[in-house]
Amino acid sequence: MNNILKEIVGYTKFRIDEEKMKISLEKTIELAFSIQTESNFRFENALKTKEISLICECKKASPSMGIIDYNYNYINIAREYEASGASCISVLTEPKWFMGSDDHLVDVVKNVSIPCIRKDFIVDEYMIYQSKIIGASAVLLICSVLDKDSLRRYLRICQDLGLSALVEVHTENEIDIALEVGARIIGVNNRNLKDFSVDIRTSERLRKVVPSDVLFVSESGIKTESDVRRLIEIGVDAMLIGEAFMKSDNKSKLIDSWRGKK
């Protein structure tokens, strides 16, 4: 891991240890399993369509960009995404570098009907149970952050809770690990976490080694209609797009244009 990623992971561990002092792991597990949902794996099922699926992101800031939206009205943004045909919504909950909050996810879930993924740095099983409690339909599991045994165990917990897991990879070796532990959704991050450079050719290269029965999501660096067309051509199932939408003054119009609706 690079220095920034190490800092984020270290801070997340500290943050979760603090939260455990307020509500114990045992209590959190009990609460998570007490929640009754109408259907399981909603996020995963929402991506199983013939057309390309869009996972649209609510994100105020990032380590590479700083503050993206000074007037961050995540509820209105989420509603606009849903109205524009988004399949799912990604909500940043990491508070320090991304200026997110668990409350943002809670509010978005209350205001839209499509499934939401909690975008955070899962470093402890506590966070998976917590994600269920705050209304997430899915969590992000990052291969470069978790060892193989943890990844396998966390996927099992997601399965027991009815949560989908987007397993993020950057290399062929990480894809091998993700497939070995049973990932059903693999997300290729086009952003190099070592230097934060972005190249969507990463998705083009790695698409070839992911089986067709595993959902393939391209993440980061998707900025133009040309990028979207390239990714459709290589057969991605979904795209997770954040900064391009967050910077747009007319998100609905941008989504329509990328879907071929002028």
Side-chain angles (χ1 to χ4, degrees):
M1 286 187 285
N2 70 338
N3 288 338
I4 295 179
L5 190 56
K6 282 182 180 178
E7 282 187 51
I8 295 173
V9 168
Y11 176 75
T12 304
K13 289 178 179 177
F14 169 79
R15 172 183 130 215
I16 297 307
D17 284 343
E18 292 279 297
E19 293 182 15
K20 284 180 181 178
M21 295 175 67
K22 299 174 185 176
I23 304 176
S24 69
L25 173 61
E26 291 74 21
K27 182 62 176 177
T28 303
I29 292 172
E30 180 184 339
L31 287 170
F33 279 107
S34 71
I35 294 171
Q36 300 297 316
T37 53
E38 292 182 5
S39 59
N40 293 327
F41 311 113
R42 292 182 62 226
F43 180 88
E44 182 177 342
N45 291 331
L47 303 184
K48 293 179 179 178
T49 61
K50 291 182 180 180
E51 293 186 354
I52 192 76
S53 297
L54 292 181
I55 307 165
C56 301
E57 194 154 79
C58 294
K59 175 167 65 176
K60 180 173 183 176
S62 74
S64 59
M65 296 294 298
I67 297 178
I68 301 167
D69 185 350
Y70 284 89
N71 302 306
Y72 184 56
N73 190 325
Y74 52 90
I75 293 176
N76 285 349
I77 292 168
R79 286 173 173 165
E80 186 174 1
Y81 285 153
E82 180 175 37
S84 302
S87 300
C88 305
I89 295 175
S90 168
V91 182
L92 265 296
T93 59
E94 196 286 321
K96 187 172 182 179
W97 282 268
F98 294 87
M99 298 187 180
S101 166
D102 291 349
D103 289 339
H104 294 177
L105 178 61
V106 171
D107 291 340
V108 169
V109 169
K110 288 178 181 177
N111 282 276
V112 300
S113 60
I114 56 177
C116 298
I117 180 170
R118 182 191 190 188
K119 191 86 174 289
D120 210 319
F121 295 79
I122 303 293
V123 295
D124 190 300
E125 66 180 88
Y126 185 90
M127 298 179 75
I128 302 176
Y129 297 112
Q130 191 181 54
S131 299
K132 177 75 173 185
I133 294 168
I134 63 178
S137 295
V139 295
L140 179 71
L141 301 178
I142 304 175
C143 275
S144 58
V145 169
L146 302 170
D147 60 44
K148 187 192 297 184
D149 289 340
S150 295
L151 189 58
R152 181 182 284 110
R153 184 160 53 88
Y154 291 178
L155 281 170
R156 192 177 304 122
I157 293 170
C158 288
Q159 180 71 22
D160 291 343
L161 290 170
L163 292 176
S164 300
L166 173 59
V167 180
E168 182 174 291
V169 302
H170 299 84
T171 64
E172 288 89 342
N173 182 58
E174 289 180 353
I175 288 176
D176 290 341
I177 292 171
L179 293 173
E180 182 181 337
V181 299
R184 299 199 297 265
I185 314 172
I186 288 180
V188 169
N189 193 336
N190 299 310
R191 187 181 302 281
N192 185 321
L193 293 183
K194 293 181 179 178
D195 59 14
F196 285 95
S197 63
V198 177
D199 188 349
I200 67 167
R201 287 177 297 182
T202 306
S203 284
E204 295 179 4
R205 177 169 53 83
L206 296 181
R207 180 67 187 100
K208 302 170 185 176
V209 294
V210 175
S212 59
D213 61 343
V214 174
L215 289 167
F216 186 100
V217 180
S218 182
E219 308 170 25
S220 299
I222 304 165
K223 298 178 180 178
T224 67
E225 188 174 339
S226 175
D227 292 337
V228 172
R229 298 276 82 79
R230 285 171 66 187
L231 292 170
I232 289 174
E233 286 172 6
I234 65 169
V236 306
D237 296 296
M239 303 177 202
L240 194 159
I241 304 172
E243 289 174 10
F245 289 152
M246 288 303 306
K247 290 179 179 179
S248 173
D249 293 329
N250 193 329
K251 297 171 179 56
S252 298
K253 184 177 180 180
L254 183 59
I255 290 171
D256 282 347
S257 69
W258 285 3
R259 286 184 178 278
K261 302 175 183 178
K262 304 298 182 181

